[in-house]
Amino acid sequence: MLKKWLSLVLAVMMVIASLPAFAQTSDANPGSDGQQVVIDETADGSDSDGAVSDDNDDEAAVSNIDENKMQADGVADVENSSKAQITAPEKDNLGKFQKMRAEIQKLIKQRFFARANTLIDKVRAEVKSSRLTDERKKALMASLERRERATMHSVQGEYQKAANAIRSAISLNELKGDTDRLLKTQEKVSTQKEWFDIRANYEKDLTKLLEAKQPLLKEKLAVLRQLDSKRKLSKEEISKLQASLKQINERLAPLNKKIQETHRVFAVKRDKMRKEGIVLNSAQHRKLFPLVMKRMIVRFGNYNLHRQIARHLSNIAETNETSWEGLKENFARLQKLQEKVWDLRKQLDALAGKAPLSEEDYRKAKILRDQLEKAIAACEKALGKVEDAFIDQKVFGKLTDKEKAEFVKLFRDVWSRDKEFDSLKPSLEELYEKIFERPIIIDDPKPEPQPIPMPKPEPGKPSLEGEGYIIKEGNVFLLRFGDKILWPNNLPARYMVNKLEVKFGAEFILRAADQPTNDLPKVDGPTNDLPQADVPTNKLPEENAWWKKYPEISFTYIHAPQLPDEPFKRDNDMATPTQVIEENLDNQNKPANLMNAF
């Protein structure tokens, strides 16, 4: 009998568990413990204040390239250009050029446009000097323009350049479909202009609608601030607050509807342009950037107002020790979304440090920006649910001491993390400007090999700085630094004074690897008994330059306290040699020949 009852209970439990109310996924209780918050990456923003994204359009244009078809068409262009049989040397040349064209197509698909363009020019030059017949040379060069160069410009939105490439192909070797191909490409120039105007108007219209929401959000915030006075509210006060918020939401509803309709209309037009393969070029994106930034700044402002509204509601819940439907769940979800926003912001911060970006990093930045927009939209939706549930609540539940402690901790964690995020420098707006306003560096996956420079000998000390004496030996002035003698190659004329005390900074001048500069000769006495300049000698002038045995230095600055300041020079005065020399030599890119002052 007991077994029958157990079987019956088990069967009933299985039926109940299969009901929709009990078979929900993590979306039924978003953000609850042990469940991961999932942001809908396929959402286009049409149900929020965020813009409908078109960041993947450029990527889609490249992914649509059919390399196999392009290669087959390229081969057909050349083989059908002449009825003459292809000779063995020609076959070898054509095979070589086909491999180079396959590499060009790969580079275009990877968006390495600068290298692809260079390789196209290289192939053209080699075709001209090849052993192909003139007829096949023209056919091959025409095919390069028609296929590779036109495609390369098209995927960048440079439709006029693509049309010009097709015209060049026609002038070399016209094919049957070239005229139709040219007309279609030329039509894209005007269609692209239309698409740019659609994008610009969308940003402007959306910005105006978002700006129109701000006064109403601020009005809502003012009502909440007035009642958030750290005292418990009466039932009548809460009812009055609910009515005030509901009345403002009714005035916001038409604006939200217009925003959703603006998103919907734009999404339809965007999909049409995608089918036609229309993308904007880099110059048009730069023109759009200020409009995008203006809209995003307004969006961030509205999001901040939503956060403040939710914060006052959480304060009221804490003060009155009450809760309403979905409050804990939505704040828990918001807490997890904060971590998502934080992580995306950190990734953008890392990319901003690389600006201006490579093509690959720029694509990553656009994806991160799109994900961040969706994460902020999800945060905004969670905040909206907190408010809507408060307005619709009929009876507010009383919190136990344990529940109150849990709510207080949850609220504190969310708002302290929020405050920390707002204090990050640079701001999100500054990051966007740094990343998306600067030009893009086009990657080169296989840079041309550069000759490895010969290693330079490393001096024992990279620089000198201290106090020493200028000493005169014969007709030469040297620097005595401690127990060392150095030969300065740029001593100013006014410092050519025997036993002149100076403060200086200098750099070693490297001569050759077999002459290390750190082996400085020591001074044994007042002088080193250096030969005088007037001693007759039969040596050549270079051999007679005895001072060159000393390590050579170049002053970066030099100062002698006992020397008077430079005399004041009027504009009409003639400059003297000492006036030409400045004591501070830091602005010199390389050691100056200060002896020219004489």
Side-chain angles (χ1 to χ4, degrees), residues 317-318 322-324 327-328 399 402-412:
E318 184 179 335
T322 59
S323 177
W324 54 89
L327 180 60
K328 183 178 179 180
L399 296 176
K402 182 180 179 182
E403 288 174 331
K404 183 181 176 181
E406 291 176 353
F407 270 94
V408 169
K409 184 180 184 305
L410 181 59
F411 294 155
R412 295 289 186 274

Side-chain angles (χ1 to χ4, degrees), residues 240-258:
K240 185 178 178 181
L241 175 59
Q242 288 176 305
S244 297
L245 296 178
K246 187 174 183 179
Q247 186 267 333
I248 297 171
N249 277 353
E250 288 172 354
R251 290 152 59 196
L252 277 168
L255 287 173
N256 290 331
K257 190 174 181 181
K258 285 183 180 179

Side-chain angles (χ1 to χ4, degrees), residues 18 51 73 93 101 109 165 190 201 205 345 357 400 442 453 462 472 491 532 585 595:
S18 66
D73 291 342
N93 275 326
R101 293 182 72 177
K109 195 150 189 175
S190 57
N201 291 331
D205 293 343
R345 198 243 187 242
L357 301 183
T400 64
I442 303 299
K472 183 178 181 182
L491 181 68
Q532 302 296 315
L585 308 175
M595 301 302 290

Side-chain angles (χ1 to χ4, degrees), residues 69-215:
K69 185 176 185 306
M70 191 184 293
Q71 290 177 24
D73 291 342
V75 171
D77 291 347
V78 179
E79 290 182 351
N80 297 336
S81 62
S82 175
K83 295 181 180 180
Q85 188 175 359
I86 299 176
T87 63
E90 283 184 319
K91 191 173 183 180
D92 291 341
N93 275 326
L94 289 174
K96 169 191 167 184
F97 294 140
Q98 190 58 35
K99 288 180 181 178
M100 295 176 77
R101 293 182 72 177
E103 178 66 19
I104 293 169
Q105 292 154 18
K106 183 179 177 181
L107 291 171
I108 293 171
K109 195 150 189 175
Q110 294 174 332
R111 302 185 67 81
F112 298 132
F113 301 125
R115 179 146 178 95
N117 191 60
T118 302
L119 195 52
I120 289 172
D121 292 338
K122 181 180 178 180
V123 173
R124 277 193 59 123
E126 291 190 15
V127 168
K128 286 182 180 179
S129 60
S130 70
R131 299 173 66 181
L132 297 174
T133 63
D134 289 343
E135 199 172 18
R136 288 204 171 96
K137 284 181 181 179
K138 287 183 179 181
L140 184 49
M141 288 189 291
S143 185
L144 270 171
E145 297 296 317
R146 179 186 301 113
R147 310 293 178 191
E148 281 81 5
R149 200 186 296 275
T151 301
M152 179 188 69
H153 288 309
S154 290
V155 296
Q156 296 178 80
E158 298 172 343
Y159 297 117
Q160 188 59 58
K161 290 183 179 180
N164 292 339
I166 296 172
R167 289 188 179 93
S168 177
I170 291 173
S171 66
L172 288 166
N173 182 46
E174 183 175 1
L175 295 183
K176 185 177 179 181
D178 280 347
T179 302
D180 185 53
R181 187 178 292 109
L182 176 60
L183 289 174
K184 287 181 179 179
T185 305
Q186 196 66 54
E187 284 175 2
K188 288 185 176 182
V189 176
S190 57
T191 309
Q192 183 192 53
K193 176 63 169 61
E194 180 187 348
W195 174 224
F196 173 79
D197 291 340
I198 290 170
R199 282 286 285 110
N201 291 331
Y202 171 66
E203 293 292 344
K204 292 175 184 176
D205 293 343
L206 192 54
T207 301
K208 287 179 182 177
L209 290 169
L210 292 174
E211 286 174 338
K213 289 182 66 173
Q214 284 190 349

Side-chain angles (χ1 to χ4, degrees), residues 343-511:
D343 178 63
L344 291 169
R345 198 243 187 242
K346 275 173 55 178
Q347 293 182 61
L348 282 171
D349 203 356
L351 287 174
K354 299 181 180 180
L357 301 183
S358 67
E359 178 79 19
E360 179 65 25
D361 284 338
Y362 187 75
R363 290 206 305 275
K364 290 178 183 176
K366 289 202 297 182
I367 292 170
L368 288 173
R369 183 178 68 180
D370 186 44
Q371 290 177 343
L372 185 60
E373 283 259 324
K374 289 172 180 173
I376 290 176
C379 289
E380 202 170 75
K381 185 177 279 189
L383 294 172
K385 286 182 177 180
V386 169
E387 182 188 339
D388 292 341
F390 172 80
I391 293 172
D392 296 336
Q393 190 75 18
K394 301 300 181 185
V395 178
F396 290 89
K398 193 70 176 176
L399 296 176
T400 64
D401 290 342
K402 182 180 179 182
E403 288 174 331
K404 183 181 176 181
E406 291 176 353
F407 270 94
V408 169
K409 184 180 184 305
L410 181 59
F411 294 155
R412 295 289 186 274
D413 290 345
V414 168
W415 299 126
S416 62
R417 189 67 163 162
D418 217 42
K419 186 176 181 180
E420 188 180 357
F421 183 83
D422 288 341
S423 66
L424 292 176
K425 298 295 180 184
S427 67
L428 200 55
E429 292 89 340
E430 290 169 336
L431 281 181
Y432 277 17
E433 287 177 357
K434 192 173 183 180
I435 293 172
F436 299 107
E437 194 172 26
R438 292 190 179 189
I440 305 168
I441 297 175
I442 303 299
D443 278 316
D444 189 347
K446 295 180 181 178
E448 295 295 333
Q450 299 294 327
I452 301 174
M454 294 296 293
K456 294 182 179 180
E458 292 290 338
K461 286 181 68 177
S463 62
L464 291 174
E465 191 170 11
E467 299 180 3
Y469 291 89
I470 301 297
I471 59 174
K472 183 178 181 182
E473 298 293 347
N475 293 329
V476 179
F477 289 89
L478 303 170
L479 173 69
R480 180 173 180 171
F481 178 54
D483 60 351
K484 303 174 179 65
I485 295 290
L486 306 171
W487 168 43
N489 65 7
N490 64 338
L491 181 68
R494 66 193 299 259
Y495 288 89
M496 293 179 180
V497 178
N498 193 27
K499 298 182 180 179
L500 177 67
E501 183 181 358
V502 293
K503 296 180 180 179
F504 72 93
E507 297 289 338
F508 282 110
I509 303 300
L510 301 180
R511 300 174 189 164

